[in-house]
Amino acid sequence: MKITFKTLDGRTLNKEFIDANDFIRQQNLEIPAIDDSAKVVEVLIDEKSYDFTGNIADLYFKLNK
């Protein structure tokens, strides 16, 4: 799973995870992998585009259902 996101200060960054469960696990850490307020630009799951609009917190809650 690969997430491209934009931080509040305008930087565009990428972060890779083993899968959606790994993303959820890392977001649950005391210091999450990506700030909840970062805007999601693109999500790839198994090299396929995942249709999503929102921030990292929204993505976390959607994938954690």
Side-chain angles (χ1 to χ4, degrees):
M1 176 177 183
K2 182 177 178 183
I3 301 173
T4 303
F5 59 96
K6 187 169 279 208
T7 61
L8 291 177
D9 63 3
R11 293 178 297 147
T12 300
L13 303 169
N14 295 304
K15 183 84 176 168
E16 292 192 36
F17 301 90
I18 297 167
D19 56 20
N21 289 330
D22 184 41
F23 165 71
I24 291 166
R25 182 187 63 76
Q26 289 194 41
Q27 287 304 108
N28 281 326
L29 297 174
E30 186 174 335
I31 299 174
I34 305 172
D35 188 271
D36 285 341
S37 61
K39 182 181 182 319
V40 175
V41 175
E42 181 181 37
V43 179
L44 297 174
I45 298 177
D46 297 327
E47 303 297 323
K48 295 179 188 134
S49 184
Y50 181 73
D51 186 32
F52 179 79
T53 304
N55 63 23
I56 292 295
D58 297 330
L59 180 63
Y60 169 85
F61 288 115
K62 181 164 184 167
L63 294 175
N64 201 26
K65 288 183 180 178

